Amino acid sequence: MKQKNRLALALSLFATLALSWQACSPLNPDNIVWEPEFLGPIVYTVLDPVEIANAAADTIDYDSQADQLQIPNFQYNQSINTGPVGPVDLPEEFDALFDLFNNITVNSGKVFLWFENTWPIAVGAGSTIRATDSVQGILFEYTLQSDVQPGEMFETEIEITNKTMEFGFTIQWIDFQSPGGNNVTFQSGNDLVLYYDFELEDFTIAIVKPNNEYVLEDESTFEFEFEGDSDIEQDVTGTFSFFLENNLPSGIELEMKLLNGLGDTLYSFFNGQSVVLPTPQIDGNGYTVAPTEVDLIDAVDISDIDQLQDATQLYTRTKFITPASSMLVVDNDNYIRIQLTADVKIKAQ
Amino acid sequence: MKRITITLSIACIAFTAGAQINFPALYGNNSNLAGSRYMPAMIGMDRAGVQIDLVNLYAYAGNSTFNRSLSEDILNNPNPSNQTVDEVLAKIKDKNEAFVGVAAQPLNFSFKVGERLAFGFNWAERFETRLSFGGEFFRMMWQGNKPYAGEEVSLGPITANAVYMREVGITGAFKALESDELKLWVAARPKMMRGYLSLYAPDNDIRVFTEQNGKYIDLTFDYDLNTAFPGDGEDLNPFEAAGSGFGFDLGGNLQIGERLHASLNLVDIGGLKFTENATNFSSVQTIRYRGVEIDDIFTNAVIRDSVLFEELTAYTETNEDYTHPLPTKLVLQGAYRIPGTTAGGNEYYKHSFFFTIIQGLSKHSTFGTYNILSAGAATDLGGIFNVGGNLNLLNFNQLQFGAFIGARLAFIRLGVGTSNLVPLILPSSFSSDVNFTLGLSF
């Protein structure tokens, strides 16, 4: 802090000496119109495979049917007394966690598991949740350490490290157990839904499915505001340009809109169409050689987006069109880059 | 005969960019002690055995860009317009410099020991600044960066040099040669300095390159900023030095016959080393600005502007000692002086003609490598009043004209001097200086 103060003092001395000249000036700003022209990038975003994978990995649920518990004399909507249940393996269920990748070698990631026990009997300690990939490799396995009583929530977080995951996944309860209960009634259609969500943190390499189409559609909420505040009367004219780079082994069709809080479209970029980013050249090992670039110079007139300050959400629809290649690989060097550049003239008085 | 003289030099305005030279002190009959700052052997050449300057104040301010004409245009224009700004910007050079400085000597005296030796003592408080700034920075601020797309633009130089020091020197002058035709005084002045404030950014630049279509802007930083302040940096203590140094002034004055004089001097050799609370900030890097990053665009878009700010403000900070150079100067002077004798029998110079060359030798000092060619003349009325003037050419392109008047009334010396009166006559001058001296001589 002390050093910062010294720097501030030094810079203040600079500023004082420099501005002393200006301080003597009687210039009346009312008679001077400042009209600088600025050209340069404003914002950009880089979509890397981790972000794409996480955007693609929606929360997935696994429905456990009560009538699969093998409780003697089980019937929906009838009160029964049941002794201890299980262990029993409930049927596995298939889920395509991602549809863009064939497999991915994970350095680190997390699985979030949670459920609410909607059954009238406890989910017993020792019950195990197991997820396997398409080649029966165990992605994760979790055994409950204590009973989860009826109406209780359960949640846990499981670390995944150094694992190659083949897609898709199967998940099931194995060794499901319950202490049972007296005078319990399973309501018709009463399922216990197990949710799980995978969050990729770091990966080494991912193999992309060839000759495939995959669409990501998202509405993100801004955590910032476009609104400015200035006492200077100013007028801004000019255009925005888009510079896009595609360094994924896939063709991209990108559509972007600005939405208000109600989800209404305020402005559609690219004239409401999808901008097409061609597939980069792929080498023999499935890697991209160099990104493809699309320059949309003066694509947006600044006067067309006066409603920009009302926008609170960005809608993106990203369609991946993978080529028919024997091998398509992505690693941490692959990305999609979207940049917005301004070419504006500010008139301030 | 011993005489006591008090010298009073009244401040005048001199408009000479960067010329921190007190020419009245160099050319006046009654200002040997003050002039000895530039020509140390002068302490032995006055007829007085003892000289004491009780107050000797010299202050200057100037710049290389805004001359009186332009300044008046701005100040007197009740309705400045864009054209006014354009005209001002057109006048700003690629490299502009501003100078401010004060040299105050609370005590300065000399005395002769016999005919061949003289000694002097001087105490000077010196505050000197020199700022350099580029013109493109202001033009880019006014026009924006688009007109510069596709070319790299230097916003520099951005240099700063400010130092406040206390100097204590002891001068020894010796008449090394005396014959009918030749008299040679040589002198050396070792001096100790204490530094109380230093800002030293000798050679800095910021370059901007805007890609033709605005895809990116490259910002290249190349700066080295050193600071030292008294005290611990938070509680400033003006009585605690942050550095110290050692310097030399060397010179020799040769008299050939009765009328020809020559002087060769090298002054302000050395520097101050700042060791207390010294801080060094530096950055040599190119940052490619490609916009502010928006992260998590698929989920909750967040602006990562702090990353950009961190990149732009990244610098290396150390606490290494550094040396602030003195404004070393070479002073060469030739003079033709016609001697006379007062009614009281005292020798003096009735008429004097001078030609002086001053060359700065330390690029990053407060004088830099400026040069001044100066012609001066003085005449004396009965050994009492001394008037004169100087005509200077600064860096071969700026003309200066100064004048002075002095009086030697018994033991009192009075003088008014200026290095440049041009701003009072012509609007094309840039700077000002002030000189005040009060002294006694025996």
Side-chain angles (χ1 to χ4, degrees):
Chain A
M1 189 64 187
K2 189 183 294 182
Q3 307 302 332
K4 301 285 186 190
N5 288 342
R6 285 186 196 153
L7 177 61
L9 187 57
L11 295 176
S12 297
L13 182 55
F14 264 124
T16 301
L17 292 170
L19 293 176
S20 59
W21 206 281
Q22 183 184 358
C24 298
S25 170
L27 291 182
N28 181 352
D30 290 342
N31 298 321
I32 294 178
V33 181
W34 184 43
E35 297 179 288
E37 294 178 277
F38 291 109
L39 173 66
I42 304 297
V43 293
Y44 74 93
T45 188
V46 174
L47 306 175
D48 57 32
V50 170
E51 190 171 350
I52 292 170
N54 286 330
D58 294 329
T59 299
I60 296 170
D61 59 77
Y62 166 47
D63 294 331
S64 306
Q65 312 296 328
D67 56 2
Q68 296 166 337
L69 297 177
Q70 301 176 7
I71 300 171
N73 302 317
F74 174 86
Q75 280 194 339
Y76 280 116
N77 303 322
Q78 285 192 8
S79 175
I80 59 171
N81 296 324
T82 176
V85 177
V88 61
D89 294 345
L90 301 182
E92 63 184 27
E93 187 170 299
F94 172 81
D95 264 317
L97 189 59
F98 306 108
D99 207 17
L100 184 61
F101 304 114
N102 260 334
N103 68 51
I104 185 167
T105 300
V106 176
N107 291 335
S108 64
K110 289 177 182 171
V111 171
F112 299 93
L113 275 178
W114 71 99
F115 67 87
E116 180 183 1
N117 184 6
T118 56
W119 285 337
I121 57 174
V123 178
S127 299
T128 299
I129 302 158
R130 175 186 289 171
T132 55
D133 62 18
S134 60
V135 295
Q136 304 306 309
I138 294 176
L139 173 60
F140 65 83
E141 191 171 79
Y142 185 82
T143 300
L144 271 63
Q145 302 301 308
S146 59
D147 293 349
V148 180
Q149 298 299 325
E152 277 189 355
M153 284 293 298
F154 168 82
E155 59 185 20
T156 190
E157 179 182 311
I158 304 166
E159 300 282 344
I160 305 287
T161 56
N162 302 322
K163 192 178 289 287
T164 297
M165 298 157 50
E166 300 281 343
F167 301 104
F169 296 102
T170 55
I171 190 165
Q172 70 176 125
W173 286 101
I174 60 173
D175 293 342
F176 184 92
Q177 303 173 52
S178 172
N182 296 322
N183 297 316
V184 295
T185 300
F186 289 86
Q187 300 297 322
S188 178
N190 188 351
D191 298 338
L192 189 153
V193 183
L194 172 67
Y195 299 91
Y196 68 101
D197 188 9
F198 177 67
E199 181 179 303
L200 178 64
E201 293 176 337
D202 187 27
F203 80 109
T204 304
I205 193 170
I207 308 300
V208 177
K209 290 177 182 175
N211 202 21
N212 183 35
E213 289 189 359
Y214 181 70
V215 175
L216 276 180
E217 196 169 13
D218 287 279
E219 290 177 8
S220 65
T221 303
F222 301 143
E223 293 194 352
F224 53 89
E225 295 180 353
F226 283 107
E227 293 177 3
D229 183 18
S230 173
D231 294 333
I232 300 174
E233 181 185 342
Q234 63 180 36
D235 182 22
V236 182
T237 56
T239 58
F240 290 119
S241 300
F242 276 98
F243 299 109
L244 305 107
E245 291 178 29
N246 175 24
N247 196 25
L248 289 174
S250 168
I252 306 289
E253 290 180 10
L254 178 67
E255 183 182 348
M256 292 171 61
K257 297 176 184 176
L258 290 172
L259 312 178
N260 64 14
L262 301 173
D264 302 324
T265 299
L266 297 179
Y267 186 80
S268 297
F269 294 102
F270 320 127
N271 296 318
Q273 307 296 311
S274 295
V275 63
V276 177
L277 306 177
T279 307
Q281 182 184 347
I282 311 292
D283 67 16
N285 296 317
Y287 290 93
T288 58
V289 176
T292 55
E293 298 181 10
V294 174
D295 294 349
L296 303 174
I297 307 291
D298 301 335
V300 181
D301 193 292
I302 202 166
S303 62
D304 291 341
I305 51 174
D306 284 344
Q307 306 97 328
L308 195 68
Q309 59 266 34
D310 296 327
T312 58
Q313 297 179 77
L314 176 67
Y315 166 83
T316 56
R317 184 178 187 276
T318 313
K319 184 176 183 180
F320 300 87
I321 308 165
T322 59
S325 175
S326 58
M327 177 66 81
L328 297 173
V329 178
V330 296
D331 58 21
N332 285 299
D333 292 333
N334 295 102
Y335 62 89
I336 308 169
R337 191 174 191 284
I338 305 167
Q339 177 182 319
L340 188 65
T341 284
D343 181 355
V344 296
K345 184 172 188 175
I346 298 172
K347 187 175 182 181
Q349 191 168 20
Chain B
M1 186 175 74
K2 293 182 180 178
R3 301 173 63 174
I4 301 175
T5 304
I6 298 175
T7 300
L8 175 66
S9 299
I10 299 176
C12 281
I13 296 174
F15 288 71
T16 54
Q20 309 101 299
I21 301 298
N22 188 354
F23 281 98
L26 279 175
Y27 295 159
N29 269 359
N30 306 321
S31 55
N32 279 3
L33 197 53
S36 72
R37 284 197 60 79
Y38 310 106
M39 296 166 59
M42 287 176 77
I43 64 167
M45 301 183 70
D46 195 276
R47 68 170 184 263
V50 176
Q51 302 177 78
I52 303 171
D53 276 353
L54 300 176
V55 176
N56 186 349
L57 177 67
Y58 179 65
Y60 59 88
N63 76 95
S64 63
T65 304
F66 294 95
N67 60 19
R68 199 197 80 189
S69 172
L70 181 59
S71 302
E72 286 178 351
D73 285 348
I74 297 171
L75 294 169
N76 297 331
N77 190 340
N79 191 26
S81 63
N82 281 30
Q83 185 181 353
T84 310
V85 179
D86 290 338
E87 288 172 359
V88 170
L89 290 174
K91 297 278 178 65
I92 296 179
K93 303 168 185 173
D94 290 340
K95 181 181 179 182
N96 309 274
E97 296 213 285
F99 298 80
V100 177
V102 176
Q105 291 183 280
L107 183 59
N108 191 16
F109 66 85
S110 69
F111 58 91
K112 286 183 178 177
V113 177
E115 293 298 318
R116 299 179 73 96
L117 282 177
F119 295 96
F121 171 86
N122 80 289
W123 161 22
E125 301 286 324
R126 296 172 61 177
F127 175 69
E128 301 171 1
T129 66
R130 174 189 173 201
L131 301 176
S132 303
F133 53 96
E136 291 302 333
F137 173 78
F138 298 98
R139 283 187 275 274
M140 185 175 280
M141 287 296 291
W142 178 247
Q143 300 169 355
N145 68 322
K146 186 179 178 183
Y148 299 88
E151 62 176 299
E152 186 176 59
V153 181
S154 170
L155 303 184
I158 306 169
T159 68
N161 188 330
V163 62
Y164 170 49
M165 69 182 107
R166 177 168 300 140
E167 171 190 299
V168 175
I170 296 175
T171 309
F174 171 63
K175 187 187 283 185
L177 180 62
E178 182 171 21
S179 68
D180 291 342
E181 292 299 319
L182 296 175
K183 292 178 184 173
L184 175 64
W185 280 89
V186 293
R189 180 190 297 126
K191 50 191 183 184
M192 299 290 293
M193 290 156 295
R194 299 268 284 169
Y196 293 90
L197 176 138
S198 167
L199 173 63
Y200 184 54
D203 202 4
N204 303 320
D205 197 9
I206 297 175
R207 295 186 295 279
V208 179
F209 175 78
T210 303
E211 195 272 337
Q212 191 67 48
N213 292 316
K215 277 186 180 179
Y216 58 84
I217 298 174
D218 281 344
L219 297 169
T220 300
F221 295 92
D222 183 358
Y223 67 83
D224 183 9
L225 170 65
N226 304 279
T227 64
F229 298 96
D232 61 5
E234 290 192 345
D235 299 321
L236 298 182
N237 183 350
F239 301 106
E240 183 178 339
S244 60
F246 190 71
F248 263 106
D249 299 332
L250 303 171
N253 285 21
L254 178 67
Q255 182 177 344
I256 305 168
E258 284 195 329
R259 298 187 173 186
L260 290 178
H261 299 256
S263 181
L264 169 65
N265 307 271
L266 203 54
V267 297
D268 275 336
I269 307 165
L272 288 112
K273 189 171 187 178
F274 284 88
T275 56
E276 301 295 327
N277 306 312
T279 310
N280 329 99
F281 306 94
S282 64
S283 177
V284 180
Q285 61 174 331
T286 297
I287 296 171
R288 175 156 293 184
Y289 169 65
R290 300 183 73 182
V292 178
E293 184 175 8
I294 298 180
D295 209 357
D296 297 331
I297 194 170
F298 282 138
T299 51
N300 295 304
V302 178
I303 288 183
R304 301 294 184 198
D305 53 350
S306 60
V307 177
L308 175 68
F309 181 77
E310 287 173 7
E311 283 185 354
L312 290 175
T313 57
Y315 56 83
T316 301
E317 181 179 332
T318 58
N319 295 101
E320 303 292 329
D321 301 346
Y322 67 94
T323 299
H324 200 132
L326 290 179
T328 308
K329 292 178 279 288
L330 174 70
V331 181
L332 290 170
Q333 187 180 88
Y336 181 80
R337 314 190 77 172
I338 302 171
T341 304
T342 66
N346 293 314
E347 294 177 350
Y348 71 108
Y349 291 109
K350 292 166 63 178
H351 309 291
S352 301
F353 303 93
F354 303 93
F355 183 74
T356 308
I357 300 172
I358 296 177
Q359 175 64 56
L361 300 176
S362 178
K363 179 183 176 184
H364 297 306
S365 71
T366 51
F367 194 82
T369 53
Y370 275 83
N371 60 62
I372 303 172
L373 305 181
S374 175
T379 187
D380 208 292
L381 305 175
I384 298 175
F385 295 103
N386 184 243
V387 296
N390 62 272
L391 185 65
N392 299 344
L393 186 62
L394 174 70
N395 267 4
F396 304 110
N397 63 12
Q398 287 180 27
L399 202 60
Q400 309 165 354
F401 169 71
F404 60 88
I405 182 169
R408 192 164 184 159
L409 304 170
F411 54 85
I412 300 172
R413 292 181 183 183
L414 294 174
V416 175
T418 173
S419 294
N420 192 7
L421 289 168
V422 171
L424 302 180
I425 305 166
L426 300 174
S428 57
S429 49
F430 297 83
S431 312
S432 63
D433 71 0
V434 169
N435 183 35
F436 178 86
T437 304
L438 174 65
L440 309 170
S441 70
F442 302 86

